[in-house]
């Protein structure tokens, strides 16, 4: 099996796993919020960590599922153009959109890694009573954007030259 095919399949498997893990985190987050409502309003317990943990989990789920969404081309697109433009024009449009998306995502990933590094070195923590370390959400933000950049990078040749062996199909 050629290296490119193995790379695209491994990245697709990793991003699929991250997508499902992100779905689990959203469900887990809902459970935490239900717990918070029950203990605060029905049992009258003081709570201080549930909302912040839920926000952190949603940040993690959002960024870690971005590459999974790109793998299946599930991000927002202008589908009306698919029917109006020729297959060649659509390939060129997808190619240019992927290039622009990659440029934006590389910048965001770079800045996210900087935020992660600063939070790690400075020991930054949230200002809440619970005070979790901020390198945790920043790290997942950076990792998620990096995976999105890698997914875009393997899809750009497919958008430019048509679907390549080992690359996800457009209809998936």
């Amino acid at each position: 099996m050629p290296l490119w095919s193995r790379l695209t399949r491994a990245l697709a498997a990793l991003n699929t796993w991250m997508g499902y893990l992100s779905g689990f985190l959203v469900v887990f987050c809902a459970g935490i919020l239900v717990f918070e409502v029950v203990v605060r309003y029905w049992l009258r317990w003081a709570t201080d960590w549930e909302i912040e943990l839920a926000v952190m989990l949603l940040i993690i789920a959002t960024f870690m599922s971005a590459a999974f969404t790109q793998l299946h081309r599930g991000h927002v697109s202008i589908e009306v153009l698919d029917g109006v433009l020729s297959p060649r024009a659509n390939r060129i449009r997808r190619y240019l959109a992927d290039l622009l998306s990659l440029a934006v995502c590389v910048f965001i990933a770079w800045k996210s890694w900087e935020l992660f590094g600063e939070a790690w070195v400075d020991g930054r923590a949230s200002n809440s009573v619970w005070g979790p370390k901020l390198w945790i959400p920043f790290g997942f933000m950076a990792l998620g954007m990096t995976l999105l950049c890698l997914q875009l990078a393997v899809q750009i040749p497919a958008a430019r030259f048509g679907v390549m062996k080992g690359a996800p199909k457009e209809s998936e």
Side-chain angles (χ1 to χ4, degrees), residues 103-115 141-147 149:
V104 170
C105 291
V106 164
F107 177 76
I108 294 171
W110 169 45
K111 291 310 231 178
S112 297
W113 283 114
E114 281 185 354
L115 281 172
M141 207 165 83
L143 180 60
M145 289 307 295
T146 301
L147 287 173
C149 290

Side-chain angles (χ1 to χ4, degrees), residues 76-95:
V76 175
S77 66
I78 306 171
E79 291 180 7
V80 72
L81 293 177
D82 286 341
V84 176
L85 298 174
S86 69
R88 182 176 185 272
N90 274 318
R91 236 186 357 262
I92 292 168
R93 178 180 60 86
R94 241 180 248 113
Y95 173 71

Side-chain angles (χ1 to χ4, degrees), residues 31-125:
I32 289 171
L33 293 175
V34 168
F35 171 80
E36 195 266 341
V37 167
V38 168
V39 300
R40 181 179 290 255
Y41 294 105
W42 288 346
L43 302 177
R44 308 273 189 244
W45 293 354
T47 59
D48 59 1
W49 58 270
E50 291 91 344
I51 301 294
E52 190 164 21
L53 179 59
V55 168
M56 286 178 71
L57 290 176
L58 288 176
I59 290 170
I60 292 168
T62 299
F63 282 94
M64 295 308 292
S65 66
F68 173 77
T69 305
Q70 179 61 35
L71 174 68
H72 297 285
R73 290 219 175 260
H75 289 289
V76 175
S77 66
I78 306 171
E79 291 180 7
V80 72
L81 293 177
D82 286 341
V84 176
L85 298 174
S86 69
R88 182 176 185 272
N90 274 318
R91 236 186 357 262
I92 292 168
R93 178 180 60 86
R94 241 180 248 113
Y95 173 71
L96 293 175
D98 285 350
L99 279 178
L100 182 59
S101 296
L102 180 60
V104 170
C105 291
V106 164
F107 177 76
I108 294 171
W110 169 45
K111 291 310 231 178
S112 297
W113 283 114
E114 281 185 354
L115 281 172
F116 168 75
E118 291 170 6
W120 180 273
V121 169
D122 297 342
R124 292 184 188 161

Side-chain angles (χ1 to χ4, degrees), residues 3 9 50 57 85 116 127 138 150:
L3 181 61
R9 289 181 192 278
E50 291 91 344
L57 290 176
L85 298 174
F116 168 75
N127 291 331
F138 292 156
L150 290 173

